[in-house]
Amino acid sequence: MTQKLVIIGNGMAPGRMLEHLFEEDATAYDVTIFNAEPRVNYNRLMLSPVLSGEKTYEDIITHDDAWYEANNVTLLKGAKITEIDRNLKTVTSEAGVVASYDKLVIATGSNPFIIPLPGHDLDGVLVYRDLDDVGAMLTAAKSKGRAVVIGGGLLGLEAAAGLKARGMDVTVLHLMPTLMERQLDPAAGYLLEKAIKDKGIEVLTEVNSKEILGKDGRVSGITLDDGTVIDASIVIMAVGIRPSFSLAKDADIDCNRGILVDDKMQTSDPDVYALGECVEHRGDCYGLVAPLYEMAKVLANNLTGGNAEFTGSVTATKLKVTGVDLYSAGDFAEADDREEIVLRDAAQGIYKRLVLKENRIIGAVQYGETTDGPWFFDLLKKGTDISEMRDSLIFGQAYQGGASLDPMQAVAALPDDAEICGCNGICKSVIVTAITDKKLNTLDEVRSHTKASASCGTCTGLVEQLMSVTLGDTYDPSKVAAVCPCTDLGHDDVRRLIQVKSLKSIPAVMQELEWKTSCGCAKCRPALNYYLVSDWPGEYEDDYQSRYINERVHANIQKDGTYSVVPRMWGGMTSSDELRAIADVVDKFDIPAVKVTGGQRIDMLGVKKEDLLGVWSDLGDAGFVSGQAYAKGLRTVKTCVGSDWCRFGTQDSTGFGIRIEKFMWGSWTPAKLKLAVSGCPRNCSEATCKDIGVICVDSGYDIHFAGAAGLDIKGTELLGHASSEDEALEYIVALTQLYREQGHYLERIYKWAKRVGVDEIRSQILDDDIGRKNLYQRFVYSQKFAQHDPWSERVSGKDKHEFNPLAIFGQEAAE
Amino acid sequence: MNAFKKNWIKIGKLSDIPKRGSRCVKNGDLTIALFRSADDKVFALEDKCPHKNGPLSQGIVHDGCVTCPLHNWVISLETGEVQGPDEGSTLSFPIKQDGDDILLGLQTSSDGIK
């Protein structure tokens, strides 16, 4: 019979343990997880990028609901266990849920240590441990005041950098003379302090906090021992963690500093195991992920009848603060039996130090340049005798044995068992084997198959180099996602960073996101211009020089350099006056061709650029505005004659089409947007291959989207049904706004829908009433700045130079 | 006897051309596109892409190049050479910038400006 396995806690260690468990035997256990946090499993190492805005919560999820479902795991979210009964073999949650177990795994992790200063219980005193803490910090960051971070260790500095990136003033208070003194020697600590200060973060060392001050129950500042008072709107305590083991202790399981486990991760009760930050193993408690993952592997093996043992682990540290390169591993305290090798390059801010004992590396600190970190760590863990290469050791792997400086060759030269991903303990041969056996081509595939670089991500470069070495030219990392060769960032990253960093001009984006060219290229500039127009309506000034020619001169360029002009005919309706005016314009300007378009408009082709203003002026006098047939924006709304004329028409499809077009004209979208409204399911306006289409039925309006009838042919997806015109308009507008906010530039709506998922879009528009109304409001707001007819603006003189030559000369100008 | 002589013709002011933009000068049947880069340098090319004669003056100006509006060929403003994998070149003309004034250098011969 299947045994019952209950897990208390849903952090990274038990998550990884389950993966190994299911690999060994997917049916051995019936698994139930109690998670005190109200969510699925996510990568806690990546909280800092979430805080700074470089990633979102969705980016850092490691196991989503679907994973638990697929593996038949019962996950109880927001369920905190309050009691373990070892006699009955049951656990009981706060809400009274009782579950019985055959085997129990305790993975309660750790608690942040709170210094019991006066005022530590005020509102606004926060710790940095889980996503809720990040949420609380982000809320506080909106008020923009000053944040005081107590503790200049790894977490404290990451929190400080994140809050600074969110626009707060930040002060770090540290008890010791140099930062991160547990991982860094004083010289590297000094360089780190300088780099942190360069980010505009205030750092005070050798200071002791005395009291947290409050006003109306909220933090207002902090006093130091020397009497200094610092104003603060939040205080973050990041002074260390303590294993969380009270639950185990209450159940009389042996505990010391943590829950005591043996090499098999077994506690004093043979049916109860523990792993992660809550345990004490051979006198050590661990707070870094690599040893926790080793424990996970060992425990999974033992739960399925194996004999694996965990014997302790040396750890390496990397700081995840953008722009600060730091790597440290092992022991670097000074002692009589130790020697050291130091390399300093003050100009480049590089510091490297190796601590040797009996010709073996026992400690390594690197600052400013850390590419050799994994290599030193490998030598350290293996206890390699380095006397042969001692003279050039500090210069790194590339200097050994005359190898060149090329990082590719350095990676190629690594031994098969060299560790590439420290977090997950993945060595080179595992990655190379996965790439060749499973024919992996992208970084994401390698991550999902091997876990390499899937945790903190700092070894991504190494993994990519390894992919290049293995795959040769077939692997092109930049091809995967980058907007264009001017940047390594993809469209999603650029869009998100524009938002979180409040970037409001093209130069600001290029500077802050480290563009590699001085003013971009013809690919990225139009994309950035659109993102800024879309994200900052009313604030961003459109940059015409970053628009394609068609949008710059409000007409479509033709192969001979002439233009085609399409006036707007709302919903495809016109009149004798309009037709007469068009005929007059065609005659007056000698326009060579006139054609009816697929979008129910009239196109005048072959207009010379210098005639554009005259053509627009005459069309404007007849009441026409630009049809925007050139725009990455709302083009046309096709209609049929509907209930006005048609004997089958169920609703006023013409009137509704005109209403939509009058509401949405002028709006910019990632790519062109074509709509249609059909008055009955016979669908004469061909709404089911449009970007957005409406099919009127007796009971109202079926709204479709994501069709295509161009390079690709694809019928639409049904978004949903609306019973009134107003409701239908709200759905259409909200959908358009969602596409405007998420679409990649030049990505048609059907490609966007394929990328983010039709169900996801449907749930955001149909199920989330508040979200939909907000989308609608944001569209309405941006229309205030978008609905200006560009033709009349140009006729009245805006940028008139565009249409006239700078100078004309010929024979008469010659001598 | 001035069969071939360089002639500097004042054609306008720097401020007449938008930054990262272009204006045209017509010389009989020849259209010359003047480009102003982000750092206020001015360049002159025949307004004709070597690929399919696209009007380069209508393209996007970036980093010393212009991208043709018809098929996205990239042309060097300095030399008129096509960049990247494509091949070809467009006629380029010398420019002198004298304060705000822009002077275009044309070869003149007895039968007019070339």
PDB file of all heavy atoms in Angstrom, chain A residues 697-721:
ATOM      1  N   VAL A 697     -25.482  38.569 -32.137  1.00  0.00           N
ATOM      2  CA  VAL A 697     -26.491  37.506 -32.089  1.00  0.00           C
ATOM      3  C   VAL A 697     -27.714  38.094 -31.391  1.00  0.00           C
ATOM      4  O   VAL A 697     -27.659  39.205 -30.865  1.00  0.00           O
ATOM      5  CB  VAL A 697     -25.961  36.261 -31.327  1.00  0.00           C
ATOM      6  CG1 VAL A 697     -24.905  35.546 -32.149  1.00  0.00           C
ATOM      7  CG2 VAL A 697     -25.388  36.649 -29.969  1.00  0.00           C
ATOM      8  N   ASP A 698     -28.835  37.344 -31.399  1.00  0.00           N
ATOM      9  CA  ASP A 698     -30.053  37.869 -30.796  1.00  0.00           C
ATOM     10  C   ASP A 698     -29.853  38.308 -29.347  1.00  0.00           C
ATOM     11  O   ASP A 698     -30.357  39.332 -28.916  1.00  0.00           O
ATOM     12  CB  ASP A 698     -31.160  36.805 -30.841  1.00  0.00           C
ATOM     13  CG  ASP A 698     -31.976  36.958 -32.121  1.00  0.00           C
ATOM     14  OD1 ASP A 698     -32.025  38.097 -32.641  1.00  0.00           O
ATOM     15  OD2 ASP A 698     -32.526  35.949 -32.593  1.00  0.00           O
ATOM     16  N   SER A 699     -29.049  37.514 -28.599  1.00  0.00           N
ATOM     17  CA  SER A 699     -28.904  37.803 -27.176  1.00  0.00           C
ATOM     18  C   SER A 699     -27.802  38.811 -26.889  1.00  0.00           C
ATOM     19  O   SER A 699     -27.534  39.112 -25.742  1.00  0.00           O
ATOM     20  CB  SER A 699     -28.590  36.506 -26.439  1.00  0.00           C
ATOM     21  OG  SER A 699     -27.391  35.968 -26.946  1.00  0.00           O
ATOM     22  N   GLY A 700     -27.144  39.338 -27.921  1.00  0.00           N
ATOM     23  CA  GLY A 700     -26.109  40.331 -27.648  1.00  0.00           C
ATOM     24  C   GLY A 700     -24.941  40.229 -28.604  1.00  0.00           C
ATOM     25  O   GLY A 700     -25.117  40.198 -29.821  1.00  0.00           O
ATOM     26  N   TYR A 701     -23.708  40.137 -28.024  1.00  0.00           N
ATOM     27  CA  TYR A 701     -22.501  40.278 -28.834  1.00  0.00           C
ATOM     28  C   TYR A 701     -21.479  39.224 -28.438  1.00  0.00           C
ATOM     29  O   TYR A 701     -21.069  39.176 -27.275  1.00  0.00           O
ATOM     30  CB  TYR A 701     -21.897  41.680 -28.621  1.00  0.00           C
ATOM     31  CG  TYR A 701     -22.890  42.783 -28.872  1.00  0.00           C
ATOM     32  CD1 TYR A 701     -23.810  43.155 -27.886  1.00  0.00           C
ATOM     33  CD2 TYR A 701     -22.932  43.443 -30.088  1.00  0.00           C
ATOM     34  CE1 TYR A 701     -24.748  44.145 -28.119  1.00  0.00           C
ATOM     35  CE2 TYR A 701     -23.863  44.452 -30.339  1.00  0.00           C
ATOM     36  CZ  TYR A 701     -24.776  44.796 -29.350  1.00  0.00           C
ATOM     37  OH  TYR A 701     -25.710  45.768 -29.597  1.00  0.00           O
ATOM     38  N   ASP A 702     -21.086  38.383 -29.393  1.00  0.00           N
ATOM     39  CA  ASP A 702     -19.973  37.463 -29.131  1.00  0.00           C
ATOM     40  C   ASP A 702     -18.680  38.169 -29.534  1.00  0.00           C
ATOM     41  O   ASP A 702     -18.553  38.627 -30.674  1.00  0.00           O
ATOM     42  CB  ASP A 702     -20.122  36.186 -29.969  1.00  0.00           C
ATOM     43  CG  ASP A 702     -21.174  35.247 -29.373  1.00  0.00           C
ATOM     44  OD1 ASP A 702     -21.501  35.426 -28.179  1.00  0.00           O
ATOM     45  OD2 ASP A 702     -21.667  34.377 -30.109  1.00  0.00           O
ATOM     46  N   ILE A 703     -17.746  38.238 -28.605  1.00  0.00           N
ATOM     47  CA  ILE A 703     -16.509  38.964 -28.892  1.00  0.00           C
ATOM     48  C   ILE A 703     -15.380  37.966 -29.146  1.00  0.00           C
ATOM     49  O   ILE A 703     -15.124  37.083 -28.328  1.00  0.00           O
ATOM     50  CB  ILE A 703     -16.164  39.919 -27.745  1.00  0.00           C
ATOM     51  CG1 ILE A 703     -17.314  40.919 -27.631  1.00  0.00           C
ATOM     52  CG2 ILE A 703     -14.853  40.640 -28.007  1.00  0.00           C
ATOM     53  CD1 ILE A 703     -17.272  41.744 -26.412  1.00  0.00           C
ATOM     54  N   HIS A 704     -14.762  38.121 -30.295  1.00  0.00           N
ATOM     55  CA  HIS A 704     -13.682  37.226 -30.718  1.00  0.00           C
ATOM     56  C   HIS A 704     -12.386  38.014 -30.808  1.00  0.00           C
ATOM     57  O   HIS A 704     -12.405  39.229 -30.985  1.00  0.00           O
ATOM     58  CB  HIS A 704     -13.989  36.658 -32.106  1.00  0.00           C
ATOM     59  CG  HIS A 704     -15.174  35.756 -32.138  1.00  0.00           C
ATOM     60  ND1 HIS A 704     -15.080  34.406 -32.280  1.00  0.00           N
ATOM     61  CD2 HIS A 704     -16.503  36.027 -32.036  1.00  0.00           C
ATOM     62  CE1 HIS A 704     -16.279  33.864 -32.286  1.00  0.00           C
ATOM     63  NE2 HIS A 704     -17.173  34.819 -32.136  1.00  0.00           N
ATOM     64  N   PHE A 705     -11.260  37.300 -30.741  1.00  0.00           N
ATOM     65  CA  PHE A 705      -9.987  37.994 -30.956  1.00  0.00           C
ATOM     66  C   PHE A 705      -8.921  37.021 -31.419  1.00  0.00           C
ATOM     67  O   PHE A 705      -9.138  35.806 -31.442  1.00  0.00           O
ATOM     68  CB  PHE A 705      -9.548  38.730 -29.688  1.00  0.00           C
ATOM     69  CG  PHE A 705      -8.995  37.851 -28.605  1.00  0.00           C
ATOM     70  CD1 PHE A 705      -7.658  37.948 -28.210  1.00  0.00           C
ATOM     71  CD2 PHE A 705      -9.791  36.914 -27.971  1.00  0.00           C
ATOM     72  CE1 PHE A 705      -7.151  37.140 -27.201  1.00  0.00           C
ATOM     73  CE2 PHE A 705      -9.294  36.097 -26.967  1.00  0.00           C
ATOM     74  CZ  PHE A 705      -7.978  36.220 -26.585  1.00  0.00           C
ATOM     75  N   ALA A 706      -7.783  37.592 -31.776  1.00  0.00           N
ATOM     76  CA  ALA A 706      -6.591  36.807 -32.144  1.00  0.00           C
ATOM     77  C   ALA A 706      -6.776  36.021 -33.437  1.00  0.00           C
ATOM     78  O   ALA A 706      -6.298  34.906 -33.559  1.00  0.00           O
ATOM     79  CB  ALA A 706      -6.167  35.882 -31.010  1.00  0.00           C
ATOM     80  N   GLY A 707      -7.450  36.601 -34.409  1.00  0.00           N
ATOM     81  CA  GLY A 707      -7.508  35.980 -35.729  1.00  0.00           C
ATOM     82  C   GLY A 707      -6.390  36.525 -36.597  1.00  0.00           C
ATOM     83  O   GLY A 707      -5.709  37.489 -36.237  1.00  0.00           O
ATOM     84  N   ALA A 708      -6.176  35.887 -37.747  1.00  0.00           N
ATOM     85  CA  ALA A 708      -5.160  36.372 -38.673  1.00  0.00           C
ATOM     86  C   ALA A 708      -5.537  35.956 -40.083  1.00  0.00           C
ATOM     87  O   ALA A 708      -6.067  34.868 -40.286  1.00  0.00           O
ATOM     88  CB  ALA A 708      -3.793  35.797 -38.313  1.00  0.00           C
ATOM     89  N   ALA A 709      -5.289  36.834 -41.027  1.00  0.00           N
ATOM     90  CA  ALA A 709      -5.523  36.479 -42.424  1.00  0.00           C
ATOM     91  C   ALA A 709      -4.479  37.186 -43.267  1.00  0.00           C
ATOM     92  O   ALA A 709      -4.774  37.956 -44.166  1.00  0.00           O
ATOM     93  CB  ALA A 709      -6.930  36.868 -42.852  1.00  0.00           C
ATOM     94  N   GLY A 710      -3.229  36.931 -42.922  1.00  0.00           N
ATOM     95  CA  GLY A 710      -2.129  37.546 -43.659  1.00  0.00           C
ATOM     96  C   GLY A 710      -1.071  36.486 -43.883  1.00  0.00           C
ATOM     97  O   GLY A 710      -1.338  35.456 -44.489  1.00  0.00           O
ATOM     98  N   LEU A 711       0.125  36.726 -43.326  1.00  0.00           N
ATOM     99  CA  LEU A 711       1.181  35.720 -43.415  1.00  0.00           C
ATOM    100  C   LEU A 711       0.710  34.383 -42.847  1.00  0.00           C
ATOM    101  O   LEU A 711       1.058  33.324 -43.341  1.00  0.00           O
ATOM    102  CB  LEU A 711       2.412  36.189 -42.637  1.00  0.00           C
ATOM    103  CG  LEU A 711       3.231  37.296 -43.285  1.00  0.00           C
ATOM    104  CD1 LEU A 711       4.248  37.832 -42.308  1.00  0.00           C
ATOM    105  CD2 LEU A 711       3.910  36.770 -44.536  1.00  0.00           C
ATOM    106  N   ASP A 712      -0.073  34.483 -41.777  1.00  0.00           N
ATOM    107  CA  ASP A 712      -0.685  33.285 -41.203  1.00  0.00           C
ATOM    108  C   ASP A 712      -2.188  33.391 -41.384  1.00  0.00           C
ATOM    109  O   ASP A 712      -2.733  34.498 -41.450  1.00  0.00           O
ATOM    110  CB  ASP A 712      -0.388  33.196 -39.695  1.00  0.00           C
ATOM    111  CG  ASP A 712       1.081  32.973 -39.437  1.00  0.00           C
ATOM    112  OD1 ASP A 712       1.650  32.068 -40.053  1.00  0.00           O
ATOM    113  OD2 ASP A 712       1.654  33.742 -38.633  1.00  0.00           O
ATOM    114  N   ILE A 713      -2.852  32.270 -41.459  1.00  0.00           N
ATOM    115  CA  ILE A 713      -4.310  32.273 -41.484  1.00  0.00           C
ATOM    116  C   ILE A 713      -4.792  31.552 -40.243  1.00  0.00           C
ATOM    117  O   ILE A 713      -4.371  30.436 -39.946  1.00  0.00           O
ATOM    118  CB  ILE A 713      -4.844  31.571 -42.739  1.00  0.00           C
ATOM    119  CG1 ILE A 713      -4.386  32.350 -43.956  1.00  0.00           C
ATOM    120  CG2 ILE A 713      -6.360  31.501 -42.694  1.00  0.00           C
ATOM    121  CD1 ILE A 713      -4.889  31.804 -45.247  1.00  0.00           C
ATOM    122  N   LYS A 714      -5.674  32.207 -39.504  1.00  0.00           N
ATOM    123  CA  LYS A 714      -6.101  31.629 -38.236  1.00  0.00           C
ATOM    124  C   LYS A 714      -7.457  32.200 -37.863  1.00  0.00           C
ATOM    125  O   LYS A 714      -7.658  33.414 -37.920  1.00  0.00           O
ATOM    126  CB  LYS A 714      -5.071  32.014 -37.165  1.00  0.00           C
ATOM    127  CG  LYS A 714      -5.366  31.471 -35.798  1.00  0.00           C
ATOM    128  CD  LYS A 714      -4.323  31.926 -34.792  1.00  0.00           C
ATOM    129  CE  LYS A 714      -4.761  31.573 -33.377  1.00  0.00           C
ATOM    130  NZ  LYS A 714      -6.040  32.179 -32.986  1.00  0.00           N
ATOM    131  N   GLY A 715      -8.376  31.353 -37.518  1.00  0.00           N
ATOM    132  CA  GLY A 715      -9.671  31.813 -37.036  1.00  0.00           C
ATOM    133  C   GLY A 715      -9.512  32.408 -35.655  1.00  0.00           C
ATOM    134  O   GLY A 715      -8.549  32.115 -34.948  1.00  0.00           O
ATOM    135  N   THR A 716     -10.469  33.249 -35.248  1.00  0.00           N
ATOM    136  CA  THR A 716     -10.357  33.903 -33.940  1.00  0.00           C
ATOM    137  C   THR A 716     -10.656  32.930 -32.806  1.00  0.00           C
ATOM    138  O   THR A 716     -11.198  31.853 -33.015  1.00  0.00           O
ATOM    139  CB  THR A 716     -11.372  35.054 -33.838  1.00  0.00           C
ATOM    140  OG1 THR A 716     -12.618  34.578 -34.310  1.00  0.00           O
ATOM    141  CG2 THR A 716     -10.931  36.255 -34.616  1.00  0.00           C
ATOM    142  N   GLU A 717     -10.310  33.361 -31.601  1.00  0.00           N
ATOM    143  CA  GLU A 717     -10.692  32.676 -30.369  1.00  0.00           C
ATOM    144  C   GLU A 717     -11.861  33.452 -29.776  1.00  0.00           C
ATOM    145  O   GLU A 717     -11.917  34.673 -29.893  1.00  0.00           O
ATOM    146  CB  GLU A 717      -9.536  32.718 -29.353  1.00  0.00           C
ATOM    147  CG  GLU A 717      -8.205  32.230 -29.876  1.00  0.00           C
ATOM    148  CD  GLU A 717      -8.118  30.723 -29.915  1.00  0.00           C
ATOM    149  OE1 GLU A 717      -8.950  30.070 -29.256  1.00  0.00           O
ATOM    150  OE2 GLU A 717      -7.241  30.196 -30.640  1.00  0.00           O
ATOM    151  N   LEU A 718     -12.762  32.745 -29.123  1.00  0.00           N
ATOM    152  CA  LEU A 718     -13.871  33.451 -28.477  1.00  0.00           C
ATOM    153  C   LEU A 718     -13.405  34.013 -27.141  1.00  0.00           C
ATOM    154  O   LEU A 718     -12.886  33.280 -26.298  1.00  0.00           O
ATOM    155  CB  LEU A 718     -15.051  32.483 -28.254  1.00  0.00           C
ATOM    156  CG  LEU A 718     -16.294  33.112 -27.637  1.00  0.00           C
ATOM    157  CD1 LEU A 718     -16.902  34.136 -28.584  1.00  0.00           C
ATOM    158  CD2 LEU A 718     -17.320  32.053 -27.266  1.00  0.00           C
ATOM    159  N   LEU A 719     -13.565  35.337 -26.976  1.00  0.00           N
ATOM    160  CA  LEU A 719     -13.228  35.948 -25.683  1.00  0.00           C
ATOM    161  C   LEU A 719     -14.390  35.762 -24.722  1.00  0.00           C
ATOM    162  O   LEU A 719     -14.218  35.327 -23.588  1.00  0.00           O
ATOM    163  CB  LEU A 719     -12.912  37.439 -25.867  1.00  0.00           C
ATOM    164  CG  LEU A 719     -12.583  38.206 -24.596  1.00  0.00           C
ATOM    165  CD1 LEU A 719     -11.199  37.848 -24.084  1.00  0.00           C
ATOM    166  CD2 LEU A 719     -12.656  39.712 -24.820  1.00  0.00           C
ATOM    167  N   GLY A 720     -15.603  36.100 -25.181  1.00  0.00           N
ATOM    168  CA  GLY A 720     -16.762  35.946 -24.305  1.00  0.00           C
ATOM    169  C   GLY A 720     -17.973  36.618 -24.906  1.00  0.00           C
ATOM    170  O   GLY A 720     -17.931  37.120 -26.035  1.00  0.00           O
ATOM    171  N   HIS A 721     -19.030  36.654 -24.142  1.00  0.00           N
ATOM    172  CA  HIS A 721     -20.292  37.187 -24.624  1.00  0.00           C
ATOM    173  C   HIS A 721     -20.672  38.411 -23.803  1.00  0.00           C
ATOM    174  O   HIS A 721     -20.520  38.424 -22.592  1.00  0.00           O
ATOM    175  CB  HIS A 721     -21.377  36.106 -24.483  1.00  0.00           C
ATOM    176  CG  HIS A 721     -22.730  36.550 -24.934  1.00  0.00           C
ATOM    177  ND1 HIS A 721     -23.109  36.511 -26.255  1.00  0.00           N
ATOM    178  CD2 HIS A 721     -23.789  37.053 -24.255  1.00  0.00           C
ATOM    179  CE1 HIS A 721     -24.356  36.971 -26.368  1.00  0.00           C
ATOM    180  NE2 HIS A 721     -24.776  37.297 -25.162  1.00  0.00           N
TER     181      HIS A 721
END
